[in-house]
């Protein structure tokens, strides 16, 4: 079992439910101090934390997302979001970039 899981389970006094993920706040997977660990209920929530952190660090706004084509950060209302056929990943892009 991974050290950060053991630490969180020890603090909570019980086993973590299936599907739960642990996020390292400072991005350092080796820093397992309890103050650096956040329990995420699922993978999508964990991915959202990373997306918002990346946006904040890159453009200063955690709400913005990066266009998959031009790689520029922009407000979500200026971007289109859609799922590719038979894939679980979401494509994010400016409409003009996607049409080129």
């Amino acid at each position: 079992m991974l050290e950060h899981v053991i630490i969180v389970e020890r603090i909570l006094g019980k086993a973590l439910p299936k599907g739960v993920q642990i996020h390292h706040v400072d991005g350092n997977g080796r820093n397992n101090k309890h103050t650096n660990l956040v329990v995420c209920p699922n993978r999508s929530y964990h991915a959202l934390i990373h997306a918002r952190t990346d946006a904040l660090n890159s453009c200063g706004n955690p709400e913005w997302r990066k266009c998959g084509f031009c790689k520029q950060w922009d407000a979500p209302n200026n971007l289109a979001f859609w799922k590719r056929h038979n894939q679980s990943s979401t494509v994010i892009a400016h409409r003009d970039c996607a049409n080129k």
Side-chain angles (χ1 to χ4, degrees):
M1 193 180 298
L2 299 171
E3 182 182 8
H4 57 275
V5 173
I6 294 169
I7 290 168
V8 169
E9 289 182 340
R10 194 174 294 151
I11 290 168
L12 295 176
K14 62 180 181 178
L16 291 172
K18 186 176 181 173
V20 166
Q21 293 193 347
I22 308 297
H23 173 72
H24 291 81
V25 176
D26 68 0
N28 178 359
R30 294 183 181 179
N31 179 0
N32 290 318
K33 293 179 183 175
H34 72 279
T35 55
N36 190 47
L37 304 176
V38 173
V39 179
C40 300
N42 52 46
R43 176 189 274 183
S44 62
Y45 187 85
H46 192 192
L48 177 64
I49 290 174
H50 280 279
R52 290 178 59 85
T53 300
D54 290 347
L56 181 63
N57 292 337
S58 297
C59 69
N61 189 327
E63 301 293 329
W64 284 23
R65 296 295 175 257
K66 189 191 301 188
C67 174
F69 295 99
C70 73
K71 307 302 183 198
Q72 296 298 310
W73 292 91
D74 205 344
N77 60 334
N78 296 326
L79 300 165
F81 298 77
W82 68 92
K83 294 223 183 252
R84 290 188 174 148
H85 183 66
N86 293 331
Q87 291 187 8
S88 62
S89 62
T90 301
V91 177
I92 303 170
H94 293 106
R95 286 169 187 84
D96 289 344
C97 293
N99 290 332
K100 288 181 184 177

